[in-house]
Amino acid sequence: MKLVLASRSPRRIELLKELGKKFDVCPAVSPERTKYKRPHLKVTDLSAHKALEVAQKYPDAVVIGADTLVYCKGEVIGKPKDEKDALRILGKLNGSWQTVYTGVTLVHLKSRKCVRGVEKTYCKARQLSFKELKEMAGKHMDKAGAYAVQDKDDRFIEKMRGSRTNVVGFPVELFTKMLKEFEK
């Protein structure tokens, strides 16, 4: 079974490689737009858009779409726009509990099969000083929430309840379970 990842995320690529999966990378290029506001619906919809877009080019493959966001204090938080936005985001998350959502969609057009799922992990951020936040801001511009738990120098998250790989950006446990639907 051929796999195609509809993302160029180094974290997703690394996690899939760690699973021993062989796959191609073909990032979705359409703008990330959805009508949904609720976090779990938003990530599910965006992951499906990505998977379906790339599946048009690879109808014989199982295409993997994923989307991650952070939800804290009533706000959906994606990737920072710039360093100032990263500082604002980190300030909001500082010392707070937040929820990391990742939607995953697997599509195989030839068999007309689509499986979708969402993983949710609760995280507690350390209380850092303004100086520490300022040093962090801009370091992780390509990550939802502007932090990276896989980075050894990034000690922003102090506690986690749920999947660590979800917080990295690709819930391996959920993906493995979903992939079994295509191996039947």
Side-chain angles (χ1 to χ4, degrees):
M1 167 180 27
K2 179 177 176 126
L3 294 174
V4 177
L5 177 63
S7 170
R8 71 171 43 115
S9 161
R11 277 104 15 228
R12 290 183 183 137
I13 291 168
E14 184 180 320
L15 288 167
L16 268 176
K17 283 181 180 175
E18 285 175 13
L19 284 174
K21 301 294 181 191
K22 292 195 184 313
F23 59 95
D24 291 335
V25 174
C26 179
V29 293
S30 296
E32 292 187 12
R33 292 192 186 110
T34 179
K35 64 182 180 182
Y36 297 104
K37 302 289 182 218
R38 295 175 70 191
H40 71 284
L41 295 175
K42 191 171 187 138
V43 294
T44 302
D45 191 44
L46 290 171
S47 72
H49 284 295
K50 292 173 185 180
L52 287 168
E53 175 191 323
V54 173
Q56 302 300 317
K57 297 175 194 167
Y58 297 91
D60 292 335
V62 174
V63 178
I64 308 158
D67 192 75
T68 302
L69 63 77
V70 175
Y71 186 75
C72 183
K73 300 176 185 171
E75 183 183 347
V76 170
I77 301 167
K79 297 172 189 169
K81 295 176 191 78
D82 52 33
E83 208 167 308
K84 183 178 176 185
D85 191 39
L87 184 58
R88 178 195 67 79
I89 290 169
L90 292 170
K92 183 176 198 85
L93 302 176
N94 196 26
S96 300
W97 279 97
Q98 63 219 249
T99 310
V100 177
Y101 291 86
T102 300
V104 178
T105 300
L106 304 182
V107 174
H108 185 257
L109 280 186
K110 191 172 183 181
S111 67
R112 303 178 71 102
K113 192 166 196 171
C114 178
V115 179
R116 299 189 294 176
V118 177
E119 187 69 47
K120 182 165 71 168
T121 304
Y122 301 98
C123 298
K124 170 87 166 49
R126 282 187 171 76
Q127 184 71 45
L128 300 178
S129 69
F130 181 76
K131 182 183 177 207
E132 290 170 306
L133 292 175
K134 200 162 168 72
E135 287 170 5
M136 270 185 73
K139 211 171 148 191
H140 303 293
M141 300 300 288
D142 64 333
K143 295 169 187 70
Y147 64 84
V149 296
Q150 70 276 13
D151 186 338
K152 303 291 182 227
D153 297 333
D154 193 336
R155 296 184 11 240
F156 191 55
I157 299 301
E158 133 181 79
K159 293 180 192 169
M160 241 184 270
R161 289 192 198 136
S163 167
R164 183 183 184 286
T165 59
N166 180 46
V167 181
V168 174
F170 191 68
V172 168
E173 308 85 351
L174 175 64
F175 166 74
T176 302
K177 183 179 164 186
M178 292 170 65
L179 190 59
K180 287 180 181 166
E181 293 292 318
F182 293 88
E183 295 170 342
K184 292 177 180 177

